[in-house]
Amino acid sequence: MGIANLIFVSLLLMEGALLIESSLECQDLQDEVLCSEEKEAGNCLELPWSGSCRKTCDRCDQCYDAQNIVTCEDEFEKGNCGDTEVAHVCSKTCKVLSCAQEATSASQLPDA
């Protein structure tokens, strides 16, 4: 397979992944009552609540990885960013949820 074909196939795969990821919605992965209790206890910035209680913790509009970068890069390389749990804990690396909007906005900026 030539380099041009390889690049074309890679772009198609990336485009398909972006379509899957863009359909993800910010939500709580844990029970809403549990997330509310953790929010009241001030645990929204702590693992695992920072990724699994995004909605209750009012973090849907924030772009961040709740897991360490090595874990998130590994999930990205495996193609797991379309998985709801991975998307919520690795939104920055996966460029999903609120990070998808940031990535789109940045790509629309004119080149300097």
Side-chain angles (χ1 to χ4, degrees), residues 2 27 42 45 49 52 62 79 82-83 86 88 90 98 105 109:
Q27 61 186 328
L45 299 179
W49 318 116
S52 60
Q62 297 176 9
D83 177 79
V86 172
H88 278 72
C90 297
S98 63
S105 297
L109 294 175

Side-chain angles (χ1 to χ4, degrees), residues 21 64-81 86-87 89-95:
E21 293 162 9
Y64 65 96
D65 286 341
Q67 283 288 346
N68 67 58
I69 187 118
V70 174
T71 301
C72 289
E73 286 180 356
D74 187 47
E75 294 294 345
F76 177 80
E77 289 174 9
K78 290 179 181 176
N80 293 336
C81 288
V86 172
V89 296
C90 297
S91 63
K92 185 173 183 178
T93 299
C94 290
K95 295 177 180 55

Side-chain angles (χ1 to χ4, degrees), residues 20-99:
I20 292 168
E21 293 162 9
S22 66
S23 67
L24 294 168
E25 280 189 38
C26 182
Q27 61 186 328
D28 289 337
L29 301 177
Q30 299 289 334
D31 180 69
E32 189 177 327
V33 173
L34 178 60
C35 287
S36 294
E37 290 171 356
E38 295 302 327
K39 180 179 180 179
E40 288 176 24
N43 292 331
C44 283
L45 299 179
E46 306 295 325
L47 287 175
W49 318 116
S50 59
S52 60
C53 294
R54 278 185 179 252
K55 187 173 181 179
T56 297
C57 288
D58 301 316
R59 299 196 74 195
C60 288
D61 61 346
Q62 297 176 9
C63 179
Y64 65 96
D65 286 341
Q67 283 288 346
N68 67 58
I69 187 118
V70 174
T71 301
C72 289
E73 286 180 356
D74 187 47
E75 294 294 345
F76 177 80
E77 289 174 9
K78 290 179 181 176
N80 293 336
C81 288
D83 177 79
T84 301
E85 186 173 340
V86 172
H88 278 72
V89 296
C90 297
S91 63
K92 185 173 183 178
T93 299
C94 290
K95 295 177 180 55
V96 294
L97 302 173
S98 63
C99 302

Side-chain angles (χ1 to χ4, degrees), residues 1-19:
M1 179 181 286
I3 190 75
N5 287 341
L6 185 59
I7 291 171
F8 179 72
V9 169
S10 296
L11 289 173
L12 286 175
L13 290 173
M14 287 173 47
E15 188 69 27
L18 289 174
L19 290 173

